mmCIF file of all heavy atoms in Angstrom:
data_model
loop_
_atom_site.group_PDB
_atom_site.id
_atom_site.type_symbol
_atom_site.label_atom_id
_atom_site.label_comp_id
_atom_site.label_asym_id
_atom_site.label_seq_id
_atom_site.Cartn_x
_atom_site.Cartn_y
_atom_site.Cartn_z
ATOM 1 N N VAL A 226 68.830 -54.534 -18.625
ATOM 2 C CA VAL A 226 68.101 -55.332 -19.463
ATOM 3 C C VAL A 226 68.915 -56.564 -19.862
ATOM 4 O O VAL A 226 68.304 -57.743 -19.806
ATOM 5 C CB VAL A 226 67.752 -54.528 -20.721
ATOM 6 C CG1 VAL A 226 67.258 -55.396 -21.802
ATOM 7 C CG2 VAL A 226 66.632 -53.458 -20.445
ATOM 8 N N LEU A 227 70.157 -56.458 -20.174
ATOM 9 C CA LEU A 227 70.931 -57.649 -20.494
ATOM 10 C C LEU A 227 71.072 -58.596 -19.336
ATOM 11 O O LEU A 227 70.921 -59.789 -19.398
ATOM 12 C CB LEU A 227 72.344 -57.205 -20.884
ATOM 13 C CG LEU A 227 72.481 -56.534 -22.375
ATOM 14 C CD1 LEU A 227 73.849 -56.081 -22.588
ATOM 15 C CD2 LEU A 227 72.123 -57.579 -23.396
ATOM 16 N N GLY A 228 71.350 -58.026 -18.032
ATOM 17 C CA GLY A 228 71.554 -58.836 -17.021
ATOM 18 C C GLY A 228 70.288 -59.567 -16.571
ATOM 19 O O GLY A 228 70.315 -60.720 -16.221
ATOM 20 N N SER A 229 69.126 -58.829 -16.674
ATOM 21 C CA SER A 229 67.900 -59.521 -16.275
ATOM 22 C C SER A 229 67.475 -60.543 -17.306
ATOM 23 O O SER A 229 66.952 -61.694 -16.992
ATOM 24 C CB SER A 229 66.735 -58.521 -16.170
ATOM 25 O OG SER A 229 67.015 -57.631 -15.085
ATOM 26 N N GLY A 230 67.814 -60.372 -18.630
ATOM 27 C CA GLY A 230 67.522 -61.330 -19.574
ATOM 28 C C GLY A 230 68.369 -62.569 -19.428
ATOM 29 O O GLY A 230 67.856 -63.731 -19.517
ATOM 30 N N LEU A 231 69.659 -62.409 -19.054
ATOM 31 C CA LEU A 231 70.461 -63.554 -18.729
ATOM 32 C C LEU A 231 69.949 -64.256 -17.481
ATOM 33 O O LEU A 231 69.982 -65.532 -17.423
ATOM 34 C CB LEU A 231 71.894 -63.076 -18.493
ATOM 35 C CG LEU A 231 72.727 -62.653 -19.793
ATOM 36 C CD1 LEU A 231 74.060 -62.013 -19.435
ATOM 37 C CD2 LEU A 231 72.886 -63.796 -20.754
ATOM 38 N N ALA A 232 69.516 -63.591 -16.520
ATOM 39 C CA ALA A 232 68.878 -64.242 -15.316
ATOM 40 C C ALA A 232 67.739 -65.032 -15.701
ATOM 41 O O ALA A 232 67.601 -66.089 -15.236
ATOM 42 C CB ALA A 232 68.606 -63.162 -14.318
ATOM 43 N N GLY A 233 66.864 -64.432 -16.515
ATOM 44 C CA GLY A 233 65.694 -65.216 -16.989
ATOM 45 C C GLY A 233 65.986 -66.426 -17.721
ATOM 46 O O GLY A 233 65.420 -67.499 -17.574
ATOM 47 N N LEU A 234 67.012 -66.312 -18.597
ATOM 48 C CA LEU A 234 67.428 -67.450 -19.379
ATOM 49 C C LEU A 234 68.022 -68.571 -18.454
ATOM 50 O O LEU A 234 67.648 -69.779 -18.621
ATOM 51 C CB LEU A 234 68.521 -67.012 -20.384
ATOM 52 C CG LEU A 234 69.107 -68.069 -21.283
ATOM 53 C CD1 LEU A 234 67.976 -68.641 -22.225
ATOM 54 C CD2 LEU A 234 70.233 -67.560 -22.180
ATOM 55 N N ALA A 235 68.853 -68.196 -17.544
ATOM 56 C CA ALA A 235 69.366 -69.270 -16.528
ATOM 57 C C ALA A 235 68.290 -69.817 -15.752
ATOM 58 O O ALA A 235 68.312 -70.941 -15.416
ATOM 59 C CB ALA A 235 70.498 -68.465 -15.643
ATOM 60 N N GLY A 236 67.344 -68.986 -15.269
ATOM 61 C CA GLY A 236 66.205 -69.490 -14.479
ATOM 62 C C GLY A 236 65.367 -70.476 -15.199
ATOM 63 O O GLY A 236 65.039 -71.533 -14.666
ATOM 64 N N VAL A 237 64.947 -70.158 -16.470
ATOM 65 C CA VAL A 237 64.131 -71.068 -17.162
ATOM 66 C C VAL A 237 64.828 -72.219 -17.598
ATOM 67 O O VAL A 237 64.368 -73.446 -17.449
ATOM 68 C CB VAL A 237 63.452 -70.301 -18.373
ATOM 69 C CG1 VAL A 237 62.621 -71.230 -19.234
ATOM 70 C CG2 VAL A 237 62.629 -69.193 -17.881
ATOM 71 N N ALA A 238 66.001 -72.128 -18.265
ATOM 72 C CA ALA A 238 66.754 -73.276 -18.772
ATOM 73 C C ALA A 238 67.310 -74.095 -17.663
ATOM 74 O O ALA A 238 67.432 -75.403 -17.839
ATOM 75 C CB ALA A 238 67.872 -72.767 -19.667
ATOM 76 N N GLY A 239 67.709 -73.596 -16.511
ATOM 77 C CA GLY A 239 68.282 -74.306 -15.443
ATOM 78 C C GLY A 239 67.257 -75.012 -14.579
ATOM 79 O O GLY A 239 67.715 -75.875 -13.668
ATOM 80 N N ALA A 240 66.044 -74.624 -14.567
ATOM 81 C CA ALA A 240 65.077 -75.248 -13.636
ATOM 82 C C ALA A 240 64.980 -76.755 -13.654
ATOM 83 O O ALA A 240 64.949 -77.305 -12.633
ATOM 84 C CB ALA A 240 63.676 -74.549 -13.867
#
Side-chain angles (χ1 to χ4, degrees):
V226 166
L227 286 175
S229 296
L231 288 173
L234 182 62
V237 174

